[in-house]
Amino acid sequence: MESAEGGKPMLKGSDSSGLDARSLRGDRPINKPDQDRFDFGPFARRIADAIAQRASTPGLVVGVHGAWGTGKTSVLNLIEHFLKHGAERSRVTVIRFNPWWFSATADGLLRAFFGQVIASLPTKTKALQKVRPALATLAKLLSKVPLGGFEQAAEGVGELLAVGEPSVEDLRRQIDKHVISQRRRFVILVDDLDRLPHEDIYQMFRVVKAVADFPRFTYVMAFDPEIVGKALAHYVPDQGRSYIEKIVQVPFAMPEVERERLDHVLFGGLEQVLHPIDSNRFDKQRWGNTYYGGIRALVRSPRDIARFLDTLSVSYASMREEVDAIDFVAMEALRVFVPEVHRAIAGNPVMFGLGFRFQDDPKKDAPWHQAYLDKVAPDLVEPVKDLLKRTFPRLSAVWGNIHYKVSDEWRRDRRACSEEGFPLYFRWVIPSDRLTVAELRRLVAGAAEDVRDVLDRYLVGDLMVRLARTRRLIGDLGPHMPSEPALPSSLPLCRALIDRCDDVAALDNPTTKSDMDLPIQWRLCWLVVRELQRHPPEARAVFMVAACESSPSLGTIVSLLDQLRTEHTGTPRTAPIAEGDRLVDMASLDRWREIVCKRVQDHANKGTVLDLPEASAVLSWWAHVDREACEAWAKQVVQDDSMLLQLLEKKLRFSSASGMDDRVGREKPYMMLDSFTQLGLDPSALRDRVARLAESASGRILQASRVFVATVDNPRLDPTRRDPALRGKGE
């Protein structure tokens, strides 16, 4: 993948297929030149050749200086490789010593150092066989010197020597004599000095100073001079860096890795971690802007790349189908490199444009955002802001003049800036009441049996659980519904949802949803209409006829028919849709209405109308399209006391009321008297009879009876009487 600017690689490097995973992970440095992705090889080879070809005999201390994460251990490994495989390899003995592995007692490092050297000496040479006991004795003597300068070593050891034991000078002369007689060079590689406690760093430098002038010995020490200098300053005040210069004779600074090479290696690693990348969902331009505007400034060294890829390889694996890959990489970059910003996002989603929050001027939020930006390194503030604006576009109104609205694309792709996606970037788990993206796609494009299988597994539990899940499902499906005619049909999904809608819609009242939420039937009908628009009239007719003839959810069907009819008639607030833009013609609507009317009449004949989950909505619709038949049914039904009470129960509605200090709304029952007059019934004529029946009623029927009587006595309890705009609407 390439950017729009200069053809720079976006994720895939020119030879990313050859990347060695070892060269991209954590603190596992490379060992061989063919693993070298940062071009350390030439630098390491020059040092190795200079050591191996050195003609002079005196000991030498070489420093490889660099900050943490710049690749010092990899360079030492490459130096070792070139020494062992170079032209002078038969004359070089390489000894590795890592003080990090050994005891931190006063004499622990010294004993470990000499022990490592002794163990690494060739055993076939007589001269070197004599060096072993001399080194062991020297180590024993020097370990007795208390923490201080080795300048006093001879004097200190002299006081501790037993009669007849050799002095330090005698031992040094023996070692020098036997080592010089060899044509072999000994190279001791010392790593991880800058990881040690201050005391151990000083102790290690004392050790090297004591043996630095051993002939034919070269010490290559890799460390961060800033860290080591500060540690040494505790023991040689104001001379930390000077003390390093006394010990290290030839310092080499780690070569700076070219920025383009870091990009190249990171892109190759990202391609491995993110594979496979869905090209239809991966926006190259947005990735380029996100990377070059923000992430690039955070990833500065080989170790940064390793840490970042290690983190992503674990966190992305289980979420790859559920999140936007670009946003996920951006959020993980913030978590790894500026965790204080990541914490601010996690705990305050509303400040990053999620959820409803009234703010007349978004720029007033700038001081709040500045509080966490003040904790970021000054040179990273602007890249972090850019990264935040790319990931949460609505922040552009805080730091600029661009205003964004939440889009369906954000929701469909579950971007971090959407309410559906945001939690996934912090929890790394799909909530149990949500379908995965893969399941949503299967639903949208699936055959009827696939749809039924998924819904049967998902829409389970009691009615309240099914209501919540259906509401969530319809919200999640909206952004995933196809928009192009050529895409697979989602009509099987629409039919399956319609068939299940009435059962849960009966509970869909203000006490079970937000005041800002729309009824579940309206939202479902909107999805169905949207899907029907993609199909030719013939397919629409087949779908609607089948649904009208056999769907058990008559309440949802009549709601859908009403919505289609408003395209022709308009509403009190909207004009009719232009004839050429209407989904169906009026003749088709009339035919479908006749089918549903016949089904309702069949229920009336069987005495099962009031058994329908959405009986009240069906009756209101029936009264509108066939008033005579509906009134005849109603007058017959109310002759039976039990049927009358059942009708009252179906007409009972609820609103939610709360005071200023209430956190939870109070359920408030009500009835709309117009819904009875629509059926040709006179509420006043039924009042006394209902009051008498209420004396022996219980539960919801008792509640419905009391509300009916109270509303007849005080019509202002009927919301249609308080709000004339509702009058005549029945349900």
Side-chain angles (χ1 to χ4, degrees):
M1 300 180 183
E2 295 184 347
S3 70
E5 300 177 355
K8 295 179 180 179
M10 300 306 297
L11 278 182
K12 187 171 183 179
S14 59
D15 60 348
S16 64
S17 59
L19 285 172
D20 187 328
R22 182 183 178 86
S23 68
L24 297 173
R25 293 292 186 265
D27 278 342
R28 299 185 290 280
I30 64 172
N31 295 305
K32 301 176 181 179
D34 60 4
Q35 300 168 342
D36 183 14
R37 314 309 302 177
F38 298 106
D39 203 28
F40 292 141
F43 175 67
R45 183 185 290 276
R46 283 194 294 271
I47 296 176
D49 290 347
I51 293 172
Q53 297 169 12
R54 184 166 175 256
S56 58
T57 299
L60 180 69
V61 180
V62 175
V64 177
H65 295 172
W68 279 359
T70 53
K72 298 187 297 295
T73 300
S74 292
V75 167
L76 286 189
N77 290 345
L78 291 175
I79 290 174
E80 180 178 7
H81 173 86
F82 291 129
L83 288 172
K84 289 182 174 180
H85 296 84
E88 301 292 327
R89 60 184 178 275
S90 62
R91 299 179 181 179
V92 176
T93 295
V94 179
I95 304 169
R96 293 300 295 256
F97 181 70
N98 192 321
W100 180 259
W101 300 342
F102 300 102
S103 170
T105 59
D107 64 344
L109 289 176
L110 187 145
R111 289 181 177 274
F113 177 81
F114 277 101
Q116 194 80 1
V117 172
I118 292 170
S120 302
L121 292 177
T123 59
K124 297 181 180 180
T125 306
K126 291 184 178 180
L128 293 181
Q129 289 178 358
K130 296 178 180 179
V131 170
R132 288 170 172 270
L135 283 174
T137 303
L138 180 62
K140 178 181 178 181
L141 293 177
L142 292 179
S143 67
K144 298 178 180 180
V145 180
L147 190 61
F150 267 110
E151 295 81 357
Q152 293 81 36
E155 179 181 350
V157 173
E159 297 176 356
L160 299 170
L161 286 174
V163 177
E165 287 187 348
S167 66
V168 172
E169 291 82 355
D170 292 337
L171 292 170
R172 291 291 300 269
R173 282 193 292 271
Q174 290 180 37
I175 294 170
D176 291 354
K177 174 184 175 181
H178 295 304
V179 171
I180 291 174
S181 67
Q182 303 299 304
R183 298 186 61 187
R184 178 173 297 275
R185 187 168 297 281
F186 302 93
V187 181
I188 302 178
L189 305 177
V190 182
D191 197 10
D192 287 338
L193 270 173
D194 43 20
R195 291 190 178 190
L196 299 174
H198 291 173
E199 180 179 333
D200 291 355
I201 291 175
Y202 182 45
Q203 180 78 350
M204 190 65 228
F205 266 80
R206 291 175 60 218
V207 170
V208 173
K209 184 177 181 182
V211 297
D213 56 351
F214 276 180
R216 297 193 179 279
F217 272 76
T218 300
Y219 307 87
V220 183
M221 305 170 67
F223 58 89
D224 183 339
E226 292 295 328
I227 294 176
V228 170
K230 291 178 181 179
L232 294 175
H234 284 77
Y235 300 92
V236 281
D238 302 322
Q239 298 183 39
R241 294 299 293 264
S242 299
Y243 196 82
I244 293 175
E245 294 169 3
K246 289 180 182 179
I247 307 299
V248 178
Q249 297 150 290
V250 183
F252 288 99
M254 281 289 296
E256 184 175 353
V257 180
E258 295 177 355
R259 181 67 249 187
E260 289 73 16
R261 188 174 292 275
L262 288 173
D263 294 339
H264 178 86
V265 174
L266 177 58
F267 293 152
L270 285 174
E271 177 138 316
Q272 289 183 357
V273 171
L274 302 180
H275 179 79
I277 298 172
D278 184 350
S279 58
N280 294 321
R281 298 178 61 198
F282 190 86
D283 185 334
K284 295 181 183 179
Q285 183 181 41
R286 183 160 64 88
W287 163 248
N289 290 332
T290 300
Y291 179 76
Y292 288 106
I295 296 175
R296 194 181 201 226
L298 301 178
V299 184
R300 300 181 173 188
S301 70
R303 182 171 293 174
D304 287 345
I305 292 177
R307 289 177 59 210
F308 192 31
L309 293 178
D310 270 346
T311 299
L312 280 171
S313 67
V314 174
S315 59
Y316 185 70
S318 62
M319 302 300 296
R320 64 173 64 250
E321 295 293 335
E322 307 305 320
V323 294
D324 177 82
I326 298 172
D327 280 0
F328 197 86
V329 171
M331 291 299 294
E332 289 298 86
L334 293 173
R335 186 168 72 92
V336 171
F337 300 112
V338 279
E340 57 277 10
V341 176
H342 189 269
R343 286 193 293 269
I345 300 170
N348 304 277
V350 71
M351 299 301 293
F352 291 83
L354 289 100
F356 175 78
R357 173 174 172 267
F358 177 76
Q359 175 57 280
D360 59 339
D361 182 5
K363 287 183 171 56
K364 292 180 180 179
D365 288 340
W368 185 91
H369 290 281
Q370 191 59 44
Y372 65 77
L373 289 174
D374 286 341
K375 303 175 184 178
V376 176
D379 61 324
L380 293 180
V381 170
E382 289 306 316
V384 167
K385 287 173 65 176
D386 191 281
L387 188 55
L388 289 173
K389 287 188 291 184
R390 303 287 181 188
T391 310
F392 300 96
R394 298 179 83 178
L395 288 182
S396 296
V398 176
W399 295 314
N401 296 309
I402 301 177
H403 296 257
Y404 288 89
K405 293 183 178 179
V406 176
S407 74
D408 276 351
E409 288 186 2
W410 296 356
R411 298 175 59 208
R412 178 197 66 202
D413 297 336
R414 290 190 174 173
R415 290 197 54 190
C417 54
S418 71
E419 291 194 58
E420 291 81 1
F422 182 85
L424 305 178
Y425 295 80
F426 300 93
R427 298 177 185 168
W428 298 344
V429 65
I430 308 299
S432 60
D433 64 342
R434 297 186 70 166
L435 292 179
T436 66
V437 170
E439 289 173 319
L440 288 172
R441 291 174 182 167
R442 181 184 170 194
L443 275 177
V444 168
E449 55 272 17
D450 291 331
V451 170
R452 286 194 295 269
D453 176 61
V454 174
L455 293 182
D456 286 344
R457 286 188 292 105
Y458 181 66
L459 299 181
V460 295
D462 60 33
L463 281 176
M464 293 301 293
V465 172
R466 295 197 330 255
L467 170 65
R469 290 193 168 195
T470 303
R471 187 184 295 146
R472 171 64 67 86
L473 176 60
I474 292 174
D476 285 349
L477 280 172
H480 288 271
M481 296 293 282
S483 57
E484 300 298 327
L487 295 175
S489 173
S490 294
L491 290 180
L493 169 63
C494 293
R495 175 58 191 274
L497 288 173
I498 287 176
D499 289 351
R500 288 164 171 78
C501 191
D502 272 17
D503 280 342
V504 295
L507 292 176
D508 193 35
N509 60 66
T511 63
T512 60
K513 62 180 172 56
S514 164
D515 290 339
M516 303 297 293
D517 206 358
L518 295 175
I520 194 170
Q521 286 178 332
W522 293 12
R523 297 168 65 192
L524 175 57
C525 289
W526 176 78
L527 281 182
V528 174
V529 169
R530 177 178 165 184
E531 176 63 14
L532 288 175
Q533 290 171 341
R534 297 196 308 119
H535 295 270
E538 299 80 10
R540 299 172 193 168
V542 170
F543 174 84
M544 288 300 301
V545 168
C548 290
E549 287 181 341
S550 60
S551 175
S553 294
L554 278 176
T556 303
I557 291 296
V558 300
S559 179
L560 178 59
L561 291 177
D562 279 345
Q563 186 164 332
L564 292 172
R565 184 173 288 274
T566 60
E567 294 186 353
H568 295 263
T569 62
T571 69
R573 297 182 180 180
T574 62
I577 295 177
E579 185 173 352
D581 296 330
R582 294 170 186 168
L583 197 60
V584 297
D585 56 62
M586 185 61 78
S588 296
L589 278 173
D590 288 340
R591 287 195 301 272
W592 301 339
R593 182 181 65 179
E594 290 175 3
I595 294 173
V596 177
C597 272
K598 183 178 182 303
R599 290 188 63 193
V600 176
Q601 185 65 60
D602 288 343
H603 278 287
N605 295 337
K606 297 175 184 177
T608 56
V609 170
L610 294 178
D611 294 332
L612 296 172
E614 284 288 271
S616 184
V618 172
L619 287 173
S620 292
W621 177 85
W622 191 25
H624 178 72
V625 301
D626 193 349
R627 188 177 187 89
E628 183 178 349
C630 183
E631 288 184 357
W633 170 88
K635 289 177 181 179
Q636 180 180 359
V637 163
V638 298
Q639 301 305 313
D640 183 277
D641 289 346
S642 63
M643 297 290 282
L644 172 60
L645 293 176
Q646 189 178 0
L647 176 62
L648 291 174
E649 183 185 12
K650 290 293 183 179
K651 292 295 182 179
L652 185 63
R653 289 290 177 262
F654 296 90
S655 64
S656 179
S658 60
M660 293 185 61
D661 296 331
D662 293 328
R663 295 181 179 271
V664 179
R666 180 180 70 259
E667 183 181 75
K668 186 175 181 181
Y670 68 93
M671 277 195 184
M672 299 169 66
L673 298 181
D674 277 1
S675 67
F676 291 90
T677 58
Q678 283 180 341
L679 304 180
L681 302 175
D682 180 2
S684 298
L686 296 172
R687 188 263 181 212
D688 292 342
R689 182 178 164 204
V690 171
R692 185 174 66 256
L693 292 173
E695 295 176 359
S696 58
S698 62
R700 185 58 62 95
I701 290 179
L702 174 61
Q703 184 181 31
S705 302
R706 288 176 173 174
V707 171
F708 177 81
V709 171
T711 306
V712 173
D713 292 344
N714 182 8
R716 290 194 60 79
L717 295 176
D718 178 353
T720 64
R721 306 302 169 94
R722 297 194 306 269
D723 184 356
L726 298 175
R727 187 162 298 170
K729 292 188 177 182
E731 298 302 314

